[in-house]
Amino acid sequence: MKVLHIDASALGTYSVTRGLTAAIVAEFVQSHPGAEVTYRDLHANPLAPWSMPVGDDNPTDIEAAKVMDEFLAADVVVIGAPMYNFSVSSTLKAWIDRIAVAGKTFSYTSAGPQGLAGGKRVVIASSRGGVYTEGPAASMDFQEPYLRAMFGFLGVTDIEFVRAEGIAMSDDHKTNAVGSAMASIGGLIRKAA
Ligand SMILES: Cc1cc2nc3c(=O)[nH]c(=O)nc-3n(C[C@H](O)[C@H](O)[C@H](O)COP(=O)(O)O)c2cc1C
């Protein structure tokens, strides 16, 4: 099994999503001995914004091809997705811009768009300061619905969220939110292993 582990938080050791993705990947490795993990830190090593390919020996194009190969090869993709300004971080968006490529991960047919990257499992560790699963801010969540739509567009049907929300509301709230997100990981991995 090949696991692709992606982090995108700018908050280093204070990051919630980095802790969650590490725990999710550790569970996968424990339950699938021999799992091969590829790691990408999109904050430490941000990808260049999308631009027209210029040639095979161009460093940006070489890196873009590597990003695509890693994604296509992965059986499981674990992504840390902090909510930034109601959406995903620009670093994660830059990665998405490299994996959403016509002819590789989707195509347009006479019947409409078709995803070509099915058969993978995508697990997203989501963290946000406020609460969006219910209440007045629910309509401002352009992070999780976007990710669900994006991977659905690419053909991924097996997508799950491990969520800590309301982490900026109080220390207690953060502790409880992160604790229950962490506690959900073992069951999630076992359920669909
Ligand atoms: C630049 C920035 C923008 C943020 N925007 C939002 C936001 O729009 N809504 C929200 O609820 N929290 C927002 N937050 C809080 C983060 O979602 C929260 O700290 C979350 O834990 C980030 O994930 P991380 O801890 O892995 O970095 C923002 C934080 C930062 C640093």
Side-chain angles (χ1 to χ4, degrees):
M1 168 187 277
K2 290 191 174 184
V3 179
L4 177 58
H5 177 180
I6 304 279
D7 275 328
S9 168
L11 295 183
T13 53
Y14 297 103
S15 163
V16 172
T17 57
R18 284 175 186 271
L20 292 174
T21 61
I24 295 164
V25 170
E27 277 285 334
F28 267 111
V29 170
Q30 200 181 19
S31 56
H32 299 82
E36 201 180 298
V37 180
T38 300
Y39 181 63
R40 242 182 208 277
D41 186 332
L42 297 172
H43 181 72
N45 298 296
L47 297 169
W50 193 89
S51 56
M52 292 269 283
V54 291
D56 284 348
D57 55 359
N58 176 273
T60 302
D61 294 348
I62 291 170
E63 191 65 2
K66 199 167 164 223
V67 166
M68 177 61 84
D69 288 348
E70 287 169 1
F71 178 66
L72 291 175
D75 302 298
V76 177
V77 185
V78 178
I79 302 171
M83 177 186 270
Y84 285 172
N85 297 313
F86 309 110
S87 184
V88 297
S89 69
S90 56
T91 51
L92 182 56
K93 178 60 167 55
W95 179 81
I96 290 170
D97 288 344
R98 297 294 177 175
I99 61 157
V101 176
K104 293 260 187 194
T105 50
F106 71 92
S107 64
Y108 281 107
T109 69
S110 53
Q114 189 182 18
L116 303 176
K120 292 180 195 310
R121 190 169 173 195
V122 173
V123 182
I124 296 181
S126 160
S127 180
R128 48 262 194 114
V131 170
Y132 299 85
T133 49
E134 57 182 14
S139 65
M140 296 170 80
D141 183 357
F142 299 97
Q143 171 210 16
E144 292 189 16
Y146 165 66
L147 290 166
R148 197 178 285 282
M150 188 68 239
F151 285 102
F153 180 76
L154 302 182
V156 174
T157 54
D158 190 353
I159 177 163
E160 293 138 304
F161 287 85
V162 174
R163 177 186 308 111
E165 67 175 354
I167 65 115
M169 291 167 69
S170 70
D171 286 348
D172 276 358
H173 205 107
K174 178 176 180 178
T175 303
N176 291 336
V178 174
S180 56
M182 283 288 186
S184 73
I185 291 170
L188 174 107
I189 306 301
R190 277 192 298 277
K191 188 181 66 185

